[in-house]
Coordinates of all heavy atoms in Angstrom, one line a residue:
M246 N 0.9 -1.1 0.0 CA 0.1 0.1 0.0 C 0.9 1.2 -0.1 O 1.9 1.3 0.7 CB -0.8 0.0 1.2 CG -1.8 1.3 1.3 SD -2.7 1.4 2.8 CE -3.9 0.1 2.8
I247 N 0.5 2.2 -0.9 CA 1.3 3.5 -0.9 C 0.8 4.4 0.3 O -0.4 4.6 0.4 CB 1.2 4.2 -2.2 CG1 1.5 3.2 -3.4 CG2 1.9 5.6 -2.3 CD1 1.2 3.7 -4.7
K248 N 1.9 4.9 1.0 CA 1.4 5.8 2.1 C 1.4 7.2 1.5 O 2.2 7.7 0.8 CB 2.5 5.8 3.3 CG 2.4 4.7 4.1 CD 3.2 4.8 5.3 CE 2.8 3.8 6.3 NZ 3.7 4.0 7.5
V249 N 0.3 7.9 1.7 CA 0.0 9.3 1.2 C 0.2 10.2 2.4 O -0.5 9.9 3.5 CB -1.3 9.4 0.7 CG1 -1.6 10.9 0.1 CG2 -1.5 8.4 -0.5
P250 N 1.1 11.1 2.3 CA 1.3 12.0 3.6 C 0.1 12.9 3.6 O -0.5 13.2 2.8 CB 2.6 12.7 3.2 CG 2.8 12.6 1.7 CD 2.1 11.4 1.3
A251 N -0.2 13.1 5.1 CA -1.3 14.1 5.2 C -0.9 15.5 4.8 O 0.1 16.0 5.1 CB -1.6 14.1 6.8
L252 N -1.9 16.0 4.0 CA -1.7 17.4 3.5 C -2.6 18.4 4.2 O -3.8 18.1 4.3 CB -1.9 17.5 2.0 CG -1.0 16.6 1.2 CD1 -1.4 16.7 -0.3 CD2 0.4 17.1 1.3
I253 N -2.0 19.3 4.8 CA -2.8 20.4 5.4 C -2.7 21.7 4.6 O -1.7 22.3 4.5 CB -2.3 20.7 6.9 CG1 -2.4 19.3 7.6 CG2 -3.2 21.8 7.6 CD1 -1.8 19.5 9.0
P254 N -3.9 22.1 4.0 CA -3.8 23.5 3.2 C -3.6 24.6 4.2 O -4.4 24.8 5.0 CB -5.2 23.4 2.5 CG -6.0 22.7 3.4 CD -5.2 21.5 4.1
I255 N -2.6 25.3 4.0 CA -2.4 26.6 4.8 C -2.1 27.7 3.7 O -1.3 27.7 2.9 CB -1.2 26.3 5.6 CG1 -1.3 25.2 6.5 CG2 -0.7 27.7 6.3 CD1 0.0 24.9 7.4
A256 N -3.0 28.7 3.8 CA -2.9 29.8 3.0 C -2.0 30.9 3.7 O -2.3 31.3 4.8 CB -4.2 30.5 2.6
R257 N -1.1 31.4 3.0 CA -0.3 32.5 3.5 C -0.4 33.7 2.7 O -0.3 33.6 1.5 CB 1.2 32.0 3.5 CG 1.5 30.8 4.3 CD 1.1 30.8 5.9 NE 1.8 32.0 6.5 CZ 1.6 32.4 7.7 NH1 0.6 31.8 8.3 NH2 2.1 33.3 8.2
P258 N -0.6 34.9 3.3 CA -0.8 36.1 2.6 C 0.5 36.4 1.8 O 1.7 36.4 2.5 CB -1.1 37.2 3.5 CG -0.6 36.6 4.8 CD -0.7 35.1 4.7
K259 N 0.4 36.8 0.6 CA 1.6 37.2 -0.1 C 1.4 38.5 -0.9 O 0.2 38.9 -1.1 CB 2.1 36.2 -1.2 CG 2.4 34.9 -0.6 CD 3.6 34.8 0.1 CE 4.0 33.4 0.5 NZ 5.0 33.3 1.5
I260 N 2.4 39.2 -1.3 CA 2.2 40.4 -2.0 C 1.7 39.9 -3.5 O 2.3 39.3 -4.1 CB 3.5 41.2 -2.1 CG1 3.9 41.6 -0.8 CG2 3.4 42.4 -3.0 CD1 5.4 42.2 -0.7
G261 N 0.5 40.4 -3.9 CA -0.2 40.1 -5.1 C -0.2 41.3 -6.0 O 0.6 42.3 -5.7
S262 N -1.0 41.3 -7.0 CA -1.0 42.4 -7.9 C -1.5 43.7 -7.3 O -1.2 44.8 -7.7 CB -1.8 42.0 -9.1 OG -3.1 41.6 -8.7
A263 N -2.3 43.4 -6.1 CA -3.0 44.5 -5.3 C -2.0 45.0 -4.3 O -2.3 46.0 -3.6 CB -4.3 44.1 -4.9
G264 N -0.9 44.4 -4.2 CA 0.1 44.9 -3.1 C -0.4 44.5 -1.8 O -1.1 43.5 -1.6
K265 N 0.1 45.1 -0.7 CA -0.3 44.8 0.6 C -1.6 45.2 0.9 O -2.0 46.5 0.9 CB 0.6 45.5 1.6 CG 2.1 44.8 1.4 CD 3.1 45.5 2.4 CE 4.4 44.7 2.3 NZ 5.5 45.2 3.2
T266 N -2.5 44.3 1.2 CA -4.0 44.5 1.4 C -4.2 45.3 2.6 O -5.4 45.8 2.8 CB -4.7 43.2 1.4 OG1 -4.1 42.3 2.4 CG2 -4.7 42.6 0.1
G267 N -3.3 45.5 3.6 CA -3.5 46.4 4.7 C -3.8 47.8 4.3 O -4.3 48.5 5.1
L268 N -3.4 48.1 3.1 CA -3.6 49.4 2.6 C -5.1 49.8 2.3 O -5.4 50.9 2.4 CB -2.8 49.7 1.3 CG -1.3 49.6 1.4 CD1 -0.7 49.7 0.0 CD2 -0.7 50.8 2.3
W269 N -5.9 48.8 2.3 CA -7.3 49.0 2.1 C -8.1 49.4 3.4 O -9.2 49.8 3.3 CB -8.0 47.7 1.6 CG -7.4 47.1 0.4 CD1 -6.4 47.7 -0.3 CD2 -7.7 45.8 -0.1 NE1 -6.1 46.7 -1.4 CE2 -7.0 45.6 -1.4 CE3 -8.6 44.8 0.2 CZ2 -7.0 44.5 -2.1 CZ3 -8.7 43.7 -0.6 CH2 -7.8 43.5 -1.7
R270 N -7.4 49.1 4.5 CA -8.0 49.2 5.8 C -8.5 50.6 6.2 O -7.8 51.5 6.1 CB -7.2 48.6 6.8 CG -7.8 48.3 8.2 CD -6.7 47.6 9.0 NE -5.3 48.4 9.2 CZ -4.2 48.0 8.9 NH1 -4.0 46.7 8.4 NH2 -3.1 48.7 8.9
I271 N -9.8 50.7 6.6 CA -10.2 52.0 7.2 C -10.3 51.8 8.8 O -10.5 52.7 9.5 CB -11.5 52.5 6.6 CG1 -12.6 51.6 6.7 CG2 -11.3 52.8 5.1 CD1 -13.9 52.0 6.2
Q272 N -10.4 50.6 9.2 CA -10.6 50.2 10.7 C -9.5 49.2 11.0 O -9.2 48.4 10.2 CB -12.0 49.8 11.0 CG -13.0 50.8 11.2 CD -14.2 50.3 11.9 OE1 -14.8 49.2 11.6 NE2 -14.6 51.1 13.0
K273 N -8.9 49.3 12.2 CA -7.9 48.6 12.7 C -8.3 47.7 13.9 O -8.8 48.3 14.8 CB -6.8 49.4 12.9 CG -5.5 48.9 13.3 CD -4.4 50.0 13.5 CE -3.1 49.4 14.0 NZ -2.1 50.5 13.9
P274 N -8.0 46.4 13.9 CA -8.3 45.6 15.2 C -7.0 45.8 16.1 O -5.9 45.7 15.7 CB -8.2 44.2 14.6 CG -7.5 44.1 13.4 CD -7.6 45.6 12.7
V275 N -7.5 46.0 17.4 CA -6.3 46.2 18.5 C -6.8 45.1 19.5 O -7.8 45.2 19.9 CB -6.3 47.5 18.9 CG1 -5.4 47.7 20.1 CG2 -6.0 48.6 17.8
I276 N -5.7 44.4 19.9 CA -5.9 43.3 20.8 C -5.6 43.7 22.3 O -4.5 44.4 22.4 CB -5.1 42.1 20.5 CG1 -5.4 41.5 19.1 CG2 -5.3 40.9 21.5 CD1 -4.5 40.4 18.6
N277 N -6.4 43.6 23.1 CA -6.2 43.9 24.5 C -5.8 42.5 25.2 O -6.7 41.7 25.5 CB -7.5 44.4 25.3 CG -7.3 44.6 26.7 OD1 -6.3 44.1 27.3 ND2 -8.2 45.3 27.4
Y278 N -4.5 42.4 25.3 CA -3.9 41.1 25.8 C -4.4 40.7 27.3 O -4.4 39.6 27.6 CB -2.4 41.1 25.7 CG -2.0 41.0 24.3 CD1 -1.4 42.0 23.6 CD2 -2.3 39.9 23.4 CE1 -0.9 42.0 22.3 CE2 -1.9 39.8 22.1 CZ -1.1 40.9 21.5 OH -0.8 40.8 20.3
D279 N -4.8 41.8 27.9 CA -5.4 41.4 29.3 C -6.7 40.6 29.3 O -6.9 39.8 30.3 CB -5.6 42.8 30.1 CG -4.3 43.5 30.4 OD1 -3.2 42.9 30.5 OD2 -4.4 44.7 30.7
K280 N -7.3 40.7 28.2 CA -8.6 39.9 28.0 C -8.5 38.7 27.2 O -9.4 37.9 27.1 CB -9.6 40.9 27.4 CG -10.1 42.0 28.2 CD -11.3 42.8 27.4 CE -11.9 43.9 28.1 NZ -12.8 44.6 27.3
C281 N -7.3 38.6 26.5 CA -7.1 37.4 25.7 C -6.9 36.1 26.5 O -6.2 36.1 27.4 CB -6.0 37.6 24.8 SG -5.6 36.3 23.7
T282 N -7.7 35.1 26.2 CA -7.6 33.8 26.7 C -6.8 32.8 25.9 O -6.9 31.6 26.2 CB -9.0 33.2 27.0 OG1 -9.8 33.1 25.7 CG2 -9.8 34.1 28.0
K283 N -6.2 33.3 24.9 CA -5.5 32.4 23.8 C -6.3 31.3 23.3 O -5.9 30.2 23.1 CB -4.3 31.8 24.6 CG -3.4 32.7 25.3 CD -2.2 32.0 25.9 CE -1.3 33.1 26.7 NZ -0.2 32.3 27.4
C284 N -7.6 31.6 23.0 CA -8.5 30.5 22.5 C -8.3 30.3 21.0 O -8.6 29.4 20.5 CB -10.0 31.0 22.7 SG -10.6 32.3 21.6
R285 N -7.6 31.3 20.3 CA -7.2 31.0 18.9 C -8.5 31.2 17.8 O -8.2 30.9 16.7 CB -6.5 29.7 18.6 CG -5.1 29.8 19.3 CD -4.4 28.5 19.0 NE -5.1 27.3 19.2 CZ -5.1 26.2 18.7 NH1 -4.5 26.1 17.5 NH2 -5.9 25.1 19.0
L286 N -9.6 31.6 18.4 CA -10.7 31.7 17.4 C -10.4 32.8 16.3 O -10.7 32.6 15.1 CB -11.9 32.0 18.2 CG -12.8 30.8 18.8 CD1 -14.0 31.4 19.4 CD2 -13.1 29.8 17.8
C287 N -9.7 33.8 16.7 CA -9.4 35.0 15.8 C -8.5 34.5 14.8 O -8.6 34.8 13.5 CB -8.9 36.2 16.5 SG -7.5 35.9 17.5
V288 N -7.6 33.6 15.2 CA -6.6 33.0 14.2 C -7.3 32.2 13.2 O -7.1 32.2 12.0 CB -5.5 32.2 14.9 CG1 -4.6 31.6 14.0 CG2 -4.9 33.0 15.9
I289 N -8.1 31.3 13.6 CA -8.9 30.4 12.8 C -9.8 31.2 11.8 O -10.0 30.8 10.6 CB -9.7 29.3 13.7 CG1 -8.9 28.6 14.6 CG2 -10.7 28.5 12.9 CD1 -9.5 27.7 15.6
Y290 N -10.6 32.1 12.3 CA -11.7 32.8 11.4 C -11.1 34.0 10.6 O -11.8 34.4 9.7 CB -12.7 33.3 12.4 CG -13.7 32.2 12.8 CD1 -13.5 31.6 14.0 CD2 -14.7 31.9 11.9 CE1 -14.5 30.6 14.3 CE2 -15.6 30.9 12.2 CZ -15.5 30.2 13.5 OH -16.3 29.1 13.7
C291 N -9.9 34.4 10.9 CA -9.4 35.7 10.0 C -9.4 35.1 8.6 O -8.7 34.2 8.2 CB -8.0 36.0 10.4 SG -7.4 37.3 9.4
P292 N -10.1 35.8 7.7 CA -10.2 35.4 6.2 C -8.9 35.6 5.6 O -8.8 35.0 4.5 CB -11.4 36.2 5.7 CG -11.6 37.2 6.6 CD -11.1 36.9 8.0
E293 N -8.1 36.5 6.0 CA -6.8 36.8 5.4 C -5.6 36.0 6.0 O -4.6 36.3 5.5 CB -6.5 38.2 5.5 CG -7.6 39.2 4.8 CD -7.8 38.8 3.4 OE1 -6.8 38.6 2.7 OE2 -8.9 38.7 2.9
N294 N -5.8 35.3 7.0 CA -4.8 34.4 7.6 C -3.6 35.4 8.1 O -2.5 35.0 7.9 CB -4.3 33.4 6.7 CG -3.5 32.3 7.5 OD1 -3.6 32.1 8.7 ND2 -2.8 31.6 6.8
T295 N -4.0 36.4 8.6 CA -2.9 37.4 9.1 C -2.7 37.5 10.5 O -1.9 38.2 11.0 CB -3.5 38.9 8.6 OG1 -4.7 39.2 9.5 CG2 -3.5 39.0 7.2
I296 N -3.4 36.5 11.2 CA -3.0 36.5 12.7 C -2.1 35.3 13.0 O -2.6 34.1 12.8 CB -4.3 36.4 13.6 CG1 -5.2 37.5 13.1 CG2 -4.0 36.6 15.0 CD1 -6.6 37.6 13.8
D297 N -0.9 35.5 13.6 CA 0.0 34.6 14.0 C -0.1 34.4 15.4 O -0.4 35.2 16.1 CB 1.3 34.7 13.4 CG 1.5 34.5 11.9 OD1 0.9 33.6 11.4 OD2 2.2 35.2 11.3
L298 N 0.5 33.2 15.8 CA 0.6 33.1 17.3 C 2.0 33.4 17.8 O 3.0 32.9 17.1 CB 0.3 31.7 17.8 CG -1.3 31.3 17.6 CD1 -1.5 29.9 18.1 CD2 -2.2 32.3 18.5
L299 N 2.2 34.2 18.8 CA 3.6 34.4 19.3 C 4.0 33.2 20.1 O 3.3 32.3 20.3 CB 3.5 35.7 20.2 CG 3.2 36.9 19.6 CD1 2.9 38.0 20.6 CD2 4.2 37.3 18.5
E300 N 5.2 33.1 20.6 CA 5.8 32.0 21.3 C 5.0 31.7 22.6 O 4.8 30.6 23.0 CB 7.3 32.2 21.6 CG 8.2 31.8 20.5 CD 9.6 31.9 20.9 OE1 10.0 31.9 22.1 OE2 10.4 32.0 20.1
N301 N 4.4 32.7 23.1 CA 3.6 32.5 24.4 C 2.1 32.4 24.0 O 1.2 32.3 24.9 CB 3.7 33.9 25.3 CG 3.3 35.0 24.5 OD1 2.7 35.1 23.3 ND2 3.4 36.1 25.3
L302 N 1.8 32.0 22.7 CA 0.5 31.7 22.2 C -0.5 32.8 22.1 O -1.7 32.7 21.9 CB -0.1 30.5 22.9 CG 0.8 29.2 22.9 CD1 0.1 28.0 23.6 CD2 0.9 28.7 21.4
L303 N 0.1 34.0 22.4 CA -0.9 35.3 22.2 C -0.9 35.6 20.7 O 0.1 35.3 20.0 CB -0.3 36.3 22.9 CG -0.6 36.4 24.5 CD1 0.1 37.5 25.2 CD2 -2.1 36.4 24.9
P304 N -2.1 35.9 20.2 CA -2.3 36.2 18.8 C -1.5 37.5 18.5 O -1.5 38.5 19.2 CB -3.8 36.3 18.4 CG -4.2 36.7 19.8 CD -3.3 36.1 21.0
Q305 N -0.9 37.6 17.2 CA -0.3 38.9 16.7 C -0.8 39.2 15.3 O -0.7 38.2 14.4 CB 1.2 38.8 16.8 CG 1.7 40.2 16.4 CD 3.3 40.0 16.4 OE1 4.0 39.1 15.9 NE2 4.0 41.0 16.9
I306 N -1.3 40.3 15.1 CA -1.8 40.7 13.8 C -0.8 41.3 12.9 O -0.1 42.1 13.3 CB -3.0 41.7 13.9 CG1 -4.2 41.0 14.8 CG2 -3.6 42.2 12.4 CD1 -5.2 42.0 15.2
D307 N -0.7 40.8 11.6 CA 0.2 41.2 10.6 C -0.6 42.5 9.9 O -1.5 42.2 9.1 CB 0.5 40.2 9.6 CG 1.5 40.8 8.6 OD1 1.7 42.0 8.4 OD2 2.2 40.0 7.9
Y308 N -0.3 43.7 10.2 CA -1.2 44.8 9.7 C -0.7 45.1 8.2 O -1.5 45.9 7.6 CB -0.9 46.1 10.5 CG -1.5 46.0 11.9 CD1 -0.8 46.0 13.1 CD2 -2.9 45.9 12.1 CE1 -1.5 45.9 14.3 CE2 -3.6 45.8 13.2 CZ -2.8 45.7 14.4 OH -3.4 45.6 15.5
D309 N 0.4 44.5 7.7 CA 0.5 44.6 6.3 C -0.6 44.0 5.5 O -0.8 44.5 4.3 CB 1.9 43.9 5.9 CG 3.1 44.8 6.2 OD1 2.9 46.1 6.6 OD2 4.1 44.2 6.2
Y310 N -1.2 43.0 5.9 CA -2.3 42.3 5.2 C -3.7 42.3 5.8 O -4.6 41.8 5.1 CB -1.7 40.9 4.9 CG -0.5 40.9 4.2 CD1 0.7 40.7 4.8 CD2 -0.5 41.0 2.9 CE1 1.9 40.7 4.2 CE2 0.7 41.0 2.0 CZ 1.9 40.9 2.7 OH 3.0 40.8 2.0
C311 N -3.8 42.8 7.0 CA -5.2 42.9 7.7 C -6.0 43.9 6.9 O -5.6 45.1 6.8 CB -4.9 43.2 9.1 SG -6.4 43.8 9.8
K312 N -7.1 43.5 6.4 CA -7.9 44.4 5.7 C -9.0 45.2 6.5 O -9.7 46.0 6.0 CB -8.8 43.6 4.7 CG -7.8 42.9 3.7 CD -8.8 42.5 2.4 CE -9.7 41.4 2.9 NZ -10.3 40.7 1.7
G313 N -8.9 44.9 7.9 CA -9.9 45.6 8.8 C -11.5 45.1 8.7 O -12.2 45.9 8.9
C314 N -11.6 43.8 8.2 CA -12.9 43.4 8.1 C -13.6 43.2 9.4 O -15.0 43.3 9.5 CB -12.9 42.1 7.4 SG -12.2 40.7 8.3
G315 N -13.0 43.1 10.6 CA -13.7 43.0 11.8 C -14.2 41.6 12.2 O -14.7 41.5 13.4
V316 N -13.9 40.5 11.4 CA -14.3 39.2 11.8 C -13.7 38.8 13.1 O -14.4 38.2 14.0 CB -13.9 38.2 10.6 CG1 -14.1 36.8 11.1 CG2 -14.8 38.5 9.4
C317 N -12.4 39.1 13.2 CA -11.8 38.7 14.5 C -12.4 39.3 15.7 O -12.5 38.6 16.7 CB -10.2 39.0 14.5 SG -10.0 40.8 14.0
A318 N -12.7 40.5 15.6 CA -13.5 41.2 16.8 C -14.8 40.6 17.0 O -15.2 40.5 18.2 CB -13.6 42.6 16.5
Q319 N -15.5 40.1 15.9 CA -16.8 39.5 16.1 C -16.8 38.3 16.8 O -17.6 37.8 17.6 CB -17.4 39.4 14.7 CG -17.8 40.6 14.0 CD -19.1 41.2 14.5 OE1 -19.9 40.4 15.0 NE2 -19.2 42.6 14.6
V320 N -15.9 37.4 16.4 CA -15.7 36.1 16.9 C -14.9 35.9 18.4 O -15.1 34.9 18.9 CB -15.0 35.0 16.0 CG1 -15.7 35.0 14.6 CG2 -13.5 35.4 15.8
C321 N -14.4 36.9 18.7 CA -13.5 36.9 19.9 C -14.6 36.9 21.2 O -15.4 37.8 21.4 CB -12.7 38.1 20.2 SG -11.9 38.1 21.7
P322 N -14.5 35.8 22.0 CA -15.5 35.5 22.9 C -15.3 36.4 24.1 O -16.3 36.6 25.1 CB -15.4 34.1 23.4 CG -14.0 33.8 23.0 CD -13.7 34.6 21.7
T323 N -14.2 37.1 24.4 CA -14.0 37.9 25.5 C -14.0 39.3 25.3 O -13.6 40.3 26.0 CB -12.6 37.5 26.2 OG1 -11.6 37.8 25.2 CG2 -12.7 36.1 26.7
K324 N -14.2 39.7 24.0 CA -14.2 41.1 23.4 C -12.8 41.7 23.7 O -12.7 42.8 24.1 CB -15.3 41.9 24.2 CG -16.7 41.4 23.9 CD -17.2 41.4 22.5 CE -18.6 40.8 22.3 NZ -18.7 40.2 20.9
A325 N -11.8 40.9 23.3 CA -10.5 41.4 23.5 C -10.1 42.2 22.4 O -8.9 42.9 22.4 CB -9.5 40.2 23.8
I326 N -10.7 42.1 21.2 CA -10.4 42.9 20.0 C -11.2 44.0 19.7 O -12.3 43.9 19.7 CB -10.3 41.9 18.9 CG1 -9.4 40.8 19.1 CG2 -9.7 42.7 17.5 CD1 -9.4 39.7 18.0
E327 N -10.7 45.2 19.7 CA -11.5 46.4 19.5 C -11.1 46.9 18.0 O -10.0 47.0 17.7 CB -11.2 47.4 20.5 CG -12.0 48.6 20.3 CD -11.7 49.8 21.3 OE1 -10.7 49.6 22.1 OE2 -12.3 50.9 21.2
M328 N -12.2 47.3 17.3 CA -11.8 47.9 16.0 C -11.7 49.5 16.2 O -12.8 50.0 16.8 CB -13.0 47.6 15.0 CG -13.2 46.0 14.7 SD -11.7 45.3 14.0 CE -11.5 46.1 12.3
V329 N -10.7 49.9 15.8 CA -10.6 51.5 16.0 C -10.3 52.0 14.6 O -9.9 51.4 13.7 CB -9.4 51.8 17.0 CG1 -9.7 51.1 18.3 CG2 -8.0 51.3 16.4
R330 N -10.6 53.3 14.5 CA -10.3 54.1 13.3 C -8.8 54.1 12.9 O -8.0 54.3 13.6 CB -10.9 55.5 13.4 CG -10.8 56.4 12.2 CD -11.3 57.8 12.5 NE -11.2 58.6 11.3 CZ -12.1 58.7 10.5 NH1 -13.3 58.2 10.6 NH2 -12.0 59.5 9.5
E331 N -8.6 53.8 11.7 CA -7.2 53.7 11.2 C -6.7 55.2 11.0 O -7.4 56.0 10.4 CB -7.2 52.9 9.8 CG -5.8 53.0 9.1 CD -5.0 52.0 9.8 OE1 -5.3 50.8 9.9 OE2 -3.9 52.3 10.2
V332 N -5.6 55.4 11.4 CA -4.9 56.7 11.3 C -3.7 56.4 10.4 O -2.6 55.7 10.9 CB -4.5 57.3 12.7 CG1 -3.9 58.7 12.4 CG2 -5.8 57.4 13.5
K333 N -3.6 57.0 9.3 CA -2.4 56.8 8.4 C -1.7 58.1 8.2 O -2.1 59.2 8.2 CB -2.8 56.2 7.1 CG -3.4 54.8 7.2 CD -3.7 54.1 5.8 CE -4.1 52.8 6.1 NZ -4.7 52.1 5.0
Ligands
SF4_175 S1 -9.8 42.6 10.8 FE1 -10.2 40.9 9.4 S2 -8.3 40.7 8.3 FE2 -7.8 41.9 9.9 S3 -7.1 40.5 11.5 FE3 -9.3 40.7 11.9 S4 -10.3 39.2 10.8 FE4 -8.1 39.2 9.9
SF4_176 S1 -10.4 35.3 19.9 FE1 -10.0 36.8 21.5 S2 -9.4 35.7 23.3 FE2 -9.3 34.2 21.5 S3 -7.1 34.3 21.0 FE3 -8.2 35.9 19.7 S4 -7.9 37.8 20.9 FE4 -7.4 36.1 22.3

């Protein structure tokens, strides 16, 4: 029997023809780490896959690619993520 390795699809944001999608943002998610329980829901649900986990398992947003859609703030069970007006 041929062994087929398990494949896990992982999408990583890259610079495309539109460039860094963070430029589209008009609102910015800001994480209050005092409220974060490290549940990782924001990581799982971010449609741009722009949230990585730090070594201490706290989430960190890559603002180069975060579009400011607010999904992470919507799914966060502890309301640790606040959407604030982007200042450029
Ligand atoms: S605002 Fe949207 S794109 Fe940005 S980190 Fe949250 S879920 Fe991801
Ligand atoms: S969804 Fe909220 S509580 Fe869960 S890891 Fe993200 S910021 Fe932390």
Side-chain angles (χ1 to χ4, degrees):
M246 179 189 286
I247 301 172
K248 280 194 172 179
V249 179
L252 296 177
I253 302 173
I255 299 175
R257 302 299 302 168
K259 299 288 183 198
I260 298 174
S262 57
K265 293 185 177 180
T266 48
L268 296 173
W269 304 353
R270 199 173 52 236
I271 57 173
Q272 280 196 309
K273 175 180 186 171
V275 176
I276 301 173
N277 179 346
Y278 289 114
D279 290 337
K280 291 184 178 179
C281 179
T282 59
K283 304 179 182 179
C284 73
R285 294 185 298 144
L286 280 180
C287 56
V288 179
I289 294 166
Y290 279 96
C291 173
E293 298 302 316
N294 195 22
T295 59
I296 309 178
D297 284 324
L298 292 177
L299 299 171
E300 276 186 20
N301 57 7
L302 300 183
L303 285 169
Q305 183 182 47
I306 297 166
D307 183 345
Y308 289 113
D309 280 346
Y310 298 97
C311 163
K312 295 192 297 194
C314 66
V316 168
C317 53
Q319 290 286 325
V320 299
C321 177
T323 62
K324 304 296 177 205
I326 304 177
E327 182 186 4
M328 299 301 293
V329 301
R330 187 182 175 90
E331 177 75 52
V332 179
K333 291 184 178 168

